[in-house]
Amino acid sequence: MKIGPKFKIAKRLGAPIFEKTQTQKFSLSEARRGKQRKRMSPMSDYKRQLLEKQKMRLSYGITEKQLRRYVDEAVAKSNQPIALLMERLESRLDNVVYRLGLAKTRRLARQIVSHGHITVNGRKLTIPSHRVRVGDEIAVREGSKQTGLFIELAERHESGAVPTWLAFDLKKLSGTMKATPTYQPAETMFDPEQVME
């Protein structure tokens, strides 16, 4: 999925949703822009909801069509659609690879999956949107363990960053989904309630 100029998009959305925008330079430019925004007219509800939707979509690297499908599914299947929507987004294979710490960003995780470096329950998968279920084992393919992506993983991996619903074994380069993903509002840069509205 082609995104475009990340710095411009992050400025427009007012959130550092990309890796390259999570720098001091970006936060300083945002602080300057904050003073200018105070003089501007207040934002309409529609614009606020649209910005939140774009933040969600670009954070997970999904298309408009995929997000629409996830939202429709969450509304149809549950009386708590926000929790189900976030569970569905978090259980995508590319997101699980990112959460396990095998990739620094979700975009890199998506690429790792697409290039066939990941197996689910011993079977190679190249579909980033594959839904990982409780009990599934996600591992780096045997032939990919010696590639540059994973050789130095032991030094840069942060075990504390792996969420509680996942278990990860650094020696085997494999992880398991222990429970269904839980929505933590503090971890997200967007408001799912605005998206659902």
Side-chain angles (χ1 to χ4, degrees):
M1 185 179 101
K2 197 166 185 282
I3 288 181
K6 295 182 182 71
F7 217 84
K8 271 186 180 177
I9 293 168
K11 272 188 164 184
R12 188 178 68 230
L13 297 176
I17 57 172
F18 303 111
E19 179 77 5
K20 71 186 283 185
T21 57
Q22 293 169 2
T23 59
Q24 193 175 7
K25 182 183 173 186
F26 182 79
S27 49
L28 285 171
S29 68
E30 274 302 290
R32 266 187 256 121
R33 275 174 55 94
K35 290 172 187 172
Q36 293 170 351
R37 280 199 193 116
K38 284 176 185 174
R39 287 175 276 179
M40 291 163 61
S41 58
M43 206 184 287
S44 69
D45 286 344
Y46 176 77
K47 186 175 180 182
R48 192 175 295 110
Q49 289 164 2
L50 181 67
L51 287 176
E52 293 300 321
K53 184 200 73 174
Q54 296 294 65
K55 282 183 204 174
M56 177 187 272
R57 195 173 69 75
L58 293 168
S59 290
Y60 286 96
I62 57 177
T63 62
E64 197 77 40
K65 195 174 179 182
Q66 284 174 312
L67 182 60
R68 165 60 61 188
R69 197 171 68 239
Y70 292 149
V71 169
D72 289 346
E73 182 188 323
V75 169
K77 289 186 177 178
S78 175
N79 55 355
Q80 290 184 319
I82 293 168
L84 186 65
L85 172 64
M86 292 308 295
E87 180 194 316
R88 185 66 187 90
L89 288 169
E90 286 289 322
S91 60
R92 283 172 56 95
L93 180 57
D94 56 355
N95 184 70
V96 172
V97 168
Y98 164 69
R99 292 288 191 192
L100 286 169
L102 294 170
K104 281 168 63 178
T105 63
R106 283 191 181 97
R107 285 177 63 77
L108 178 60
R110 183 186 184 89
Q111 194 173 21
I112 286 170
V113 173
S114 299
H115 288 193
H117 295 301
I118 300 296
T119 62
V120 177
N121 298 328
R123 217 174 93 238
K124 185 175 92 168
L125 271 180
T126 57
I127 304 162
S129 62
H130 172 78
R131 185 175 189 175
V132 180
R133 300 186 187 275
V134 177
D136 283 357
E137 186 188 356
I138 301 94
V140 175
R141 195 169 56 89
E142 208 56 50
S144 302
K145 285 182 180 177
Q146 297 308 311
T147 60
L149 287 165
F150 307 109
I151 285 175
E152 295 169 9
L153 187 69
E155 288 99 64
R156 65 174 196 267
H157 188 267
E158 297 170 27
S159 55
V162 178
T164 53
W165 47 272
L166 289 169
F168 185 64
D169 185 345
L170 191 55
K171 286 180 184 173
K172 292 181 183 174
L173 288 182
S174 70
T176 313
M177 189 187 263
K178 297 190 297 183
T180 53
T182 50
Y183 167 54
Q184 303 290 337
E187 287 179 8
T188 57
M189 290 184 213
F190 51 83
D191 183 4
E193 288 180 33
Q194 296 274 0
V195 177
M196 296 305 284
E197 282 176 31

